[in-house]
Structure formats: structure tokens, C-alpha cells
Amino acid sequence: MPNTRVCRLPLVVLGLLALMWAMTLTGCHSGSHDVGLFAPEDTVPVAVSPTQAGQLLGDMDGNGEIGVADAIAVLRIVVALAATSPYADVTQDGAVGVTDAIEILRAVVGLTDLPFQWRIATVSGRVAEVLSRNGLQGIEVTVGGQAGTTNAAGAYSIGNVPVGSQAISVTGANYDIAGRLPATVAVAAPNTALATIYMVEDEYSPPDGPDED
């Protein structure tokens, strides 16, 4: 006897594709969306990382469960009927596409383990002057190959940082690290807040005097 859980998957996928095709035609005819027919290779870039701690990847409606409705929500993003969301990037490849919807459906029929694992995170923190404790603007912080620059308050936020132990570096014109900066930091999804990084102004060097004859 064939495995009914496996056999259901193609039917569910075909049903969703037909539904999204109809939704796309409706959007085109209404004039509210200028989109073409559904194409499996279509993807929508995701340039932000999650901000709502605790929500599962693929849980588009935030109800704590992964279901067919979540797959439909992902496909709506693919055909530009809904705004993109970092929770839709189930495969964590930086884009939302048909593959993400299929992975959700595989989970629904028990072919993929849940929960989906976060592989990227947002890292945030602050850089300040060691004596005044005032924030420093324009300091570049790099974590896991992703860089961000501090604002006027000294705060920074870096998206799409891989989870795990990641290298960190901090650079700024006329400033050095006050004390010791660890070589790596632990990054956990969806958000990681780092301790304040303190810097000190470079030692003052008086200008050279006039040349002697």
C-alpha cells in the first residue's frame, strides 16, 4: 500500500498552485497588482532579519503552528500579493520563493522535521566613548562578515548575521578599543544584543615643529 502521507504532497502542491494562479489572475484583472502569471523560479529578496522573538520560521500567521495557510501566505508573497516577511524565508537563503512554500507543505505531511531552524539573526548593540559614556557615531562594527555603522546615539543593528560563534571587529577613525575586544561573539536567532563596546580617542600627537636650518 502506498504511503498516503507522501502521496498527499503532490496533490496539496497542485491545489495551491492552482489557487495562486487564480489569485494572480484576480489581481491582474482588478488592476491593483501588476504581476504576471505564477512562475516557480520567482523569488523575493529578504533584506531584513526577524524582529519578533519566538515566532517560528514559516509561521506566517503567528499562531504557533505550521499549516497549509502559511504555505499560501508564502506564495502570496512570491506573486506580489503580499509584503515580504523574514518568516517566509524557510530555507534561509535570503529570498522567498516557491521552495519555501513546498518546505512548509512537506512539514504539514510529516516529511520535514519541525521547527525550521533559524540560521540568520540580527545583532545589535552600542559603541560609546569610555570616559564620557557618550555614543560614538560612524563606528563600523562587523559581525560574521556583515557590517553596520553606528548612528548619532552610538547604536547599530546588523542583519543577516549567521548564527553561532562569529568573528567581530570594530573600527573608527581616531578611536581605538578601550580594553580588550573578544575575537568572537555568540550569535543566536532571531536577535542578539551585545554588550556596549567602549572606545578611547587616539593619543594626541603634537604637530611637528618648524624645520631647522
Side-chain angles (χ1 to χ4, degrees):
M1 178 179 295
N3 189 326
T4 56
R5 296 174 69 185
V6 175
C7 292
R8 284 173 53 195
L9 181 59
L11 296 177
V12 174
V13 173
L14 289 175
L16 285 175
L17 292 179
L19 175 61
M20 292 308 300
W21 179 77
M23 292 169 61
T24 304
L25 289 181
T26 301
C28 291
H29 292 164
S30 66
S32 59
H33 300 279
D34 184 16
V35 296
L37 292 179
F38 178 78
E41 67 273 15
D42 287 345
T43 60
V44 179
V46 176
V48 295
S49 290
T51 56
Q52 184 178 347
Q55 186 167 336
L56 295 172
L57 270 175
D59 182 16
M60 300 300 296
D61 53 16
N63 67 353
E65 299 178 352
I66 304 297
V68 174
D70 298 307
I72 294 175
V74 170
L75 292 176
R76 285 177 56 85
I77 293 174
V78 175
V79 297
L81 294 180
T84 188
S85 166
Y87 300 104
D89 185 15
V90 172
T91 58
Q92 293 283 270
D93 61 357
V96 177
V98 178
T99 302
D100 298 298
I102 292 176
E103 282 301 302
I104 291 176
L105 294 175
R106 285 171 56 85
V108 171
V109 297
L111 298 181
T112 299
D113 293 334
L114 286 175
F116 298 119
Q117 297 298 310
W118 291 106
R119 295 200 294 271
I120 56 174
T122 293
V123 175
S124 59
R126 184 171 179 267
V127 179
E129 200 278 326
V130 66
L131 297 178
S132 67
R133 296 301 199 262
N134 293 330
L136 293 176
Q137 185 174 12
I139 304 298
E140 183 176 278
V141 181
T142 302
V143 181
Q146 302 294 322
T149 304
T150 58
N151 60 19
Y156 63 89
S157 180
I158 308 171
N160 297 324
V161 179
V163 300
S165 180
Q166 301 296 337
I168 181 173
S169 64
V170 181
T171 57
N174 303 320
Y175 282 92
D176 291 323
I177 296 294
R180 177 177 173 272
L181 183 72
T184 61
V185 292
V187 177
N191 300 292
T192 295
L194 299 181
T196 299
I197 299 170
Y198 292 104
M199 303 189 77
V200 61
E201 193 170 4
D202 290 343
E203 292 184 5
Y204 173 74
S205 298
D208 295 334
D211 294 335
E212 296 182 359
D213 294 334

